[in-house]
Amino acid sequence: MDAHTLIFLIAAALSNLAGAGFFLLRSRWEDQALRLLLGTGAGFMLAVALVDMFPRAQEHTPWAAAWVLAGFLIVHMFEHVFTTHFHYGQETHAGLRAQVGIAATLGLGVHSVVDGIAIVVAMQTDLRLGWLVFLAMVWHKIPSGFTAASIVSATGGTRRAALRAGLILGVACVVGGLLYSVLPSRGWIGPALGISAGSLIYVAATDLLPEVNRRRTPLAPLGVVAGVAAFYLAHWMLGH
């Protein structure tokens, strides 16, 4: 792994920690602001996964669609099957058991491992793709860290424990990138891109969009469209 890729990986990991820090800054965040962040993130992630990552995966493997489905199912299993209570954004349910916070952190941690893999494989494939994937990761890793800290806090965890949850997600991201970087063959590029695209599609479509659309306001659909527009703007700028 070159120094450039390692810097991207660490910066993405720090986004998880920053998200946990944002939660700790104040006891209650404006609901519309959170939904706007989630909506723009969902639009950007969907665009990166469908427009760039999936076609690139098809260039390296004829089983790209199957790998996308695998990535989709992996995140689903760890976020909503092995975890009994989970949703993005600020946790508003009081009296949750400590096991809920642990399970949610572990579920997000598995997804964070995939995030790290996505950053490294994208950087190895093409610098522009690497930048786009990195931006998508930062855009949703901040809410991931925020969510982990919020759930841990709702279970009665201390501020240090909430911050530690964000740190765990960041470490998991770096571990995922390092694990992929030591694979001996470039034959893993297609599967890795497919799994990463599937995980992004899952988080955007089933985790973020339901939270965005829970309250029907003009910001909900406009935020998603703005995220897609931001992707195409970044795509054009990086192309020049």
Side-chain angles (χ1 to χ4, degrees):
M1 181 189 301
D2 58 41
H4 196 185
T5 303
L6 183 60
I7 291 173
F8 272 47
L9 198 61
I10 293 174
L14 290 175
S15 299
N16 283 132
L17 194 59
F22 287 149
F23 168 76
L24 295 175
L25 283 177
R26 51 194 295 188
S27 58
R28 184 72 183 174
W29 285 84
E30 178 61 38
D31 187 64
Q32 286 193 350
L34 288 176
R35 293 185 190 281
L36 182 60
L37 176 63
L38 296 179
T40 53
F44 195 95
M45 290 161 62
L46 281 174
V48 170
L50 295 174
V51 177
D52 266 335
M53 297 181 75
F54 179 54
R56 292 298 186 93
Q58 289 180 307
E59 294 175 2
H60 293 276
T61 174
W63 298 96
W67 287 112
V68 170
L69 181 59
F72 190 96
L73 293 176
I74 287 171
V75 179
H76 171 68
M77 292 295 289
F78 280 95
E79 284 192 1
H80 296 285
V81 175
F82 300 140
T83 303
T84 58
H85 182 90
F86 176 84
H87 62 83
Y88 269 78
Q90 185 153 338
E91 181 58 63
T92 57
H93 298 87
L96 297 177
R97 294 181 300 172
Q99 292 87 337
V100 173
I102 295 172
T105 302
L106 290 177
L108 285 169
V110 171
H111 178 223
S112 196
V113 169
V114 179
D115 289 345
I117 293 173
I119 292 171
V120 174
V121 69
M123 291 295 295
Q124 290 181 354
T125 304
D126 177 71
L127 182 59
R128 180 168 64 174
L129 179 62
W131 268 103
L132 291 170
V133 170
F134 168 73
L135 292 173
M137 294 306 168
V138 171
W139 216 319
H140 92 273
K141 289 179 81 61
I142 292 176
S144 292
F146 183 99
T147 298
S150 178
I151 294 176
V152 169
S153 179
T155 64
T158 64
R159 292 173 63 87
R160 180 175 297 180
L163 193 62
R164 188 186 304 124
L167 178 62
I168 290 173
L169 301 189
V171 170
C173 177
V174 174
V175 168
L178 292 176
L179 287 175
Y180 178 80
S181 67
V182 300
L183 289 177
S185 173
R186 289 180 63 84
W188 288 99
I189 290 179
L193 281 173
I195 289 174
S196 301
S199 71
L200 283 181
I201 291 171
Y202 185 90
V203 172
T206 69
D207 283 339
L208 301 187
L209 286 181
E211 291 297 322
V212 171
N213 295 327
R214 184 168 294 179
R215 291 184 182 176
R216 295 299 301 171
T217 67
L219 286 179
L222 291 178
V224 178
V225 174
V228 174
F231 161 78
Y232 279 106
L233 177 62
H235 199 286
W236 176 79
M237 293 177 65
L238 289 169
H240 287 72

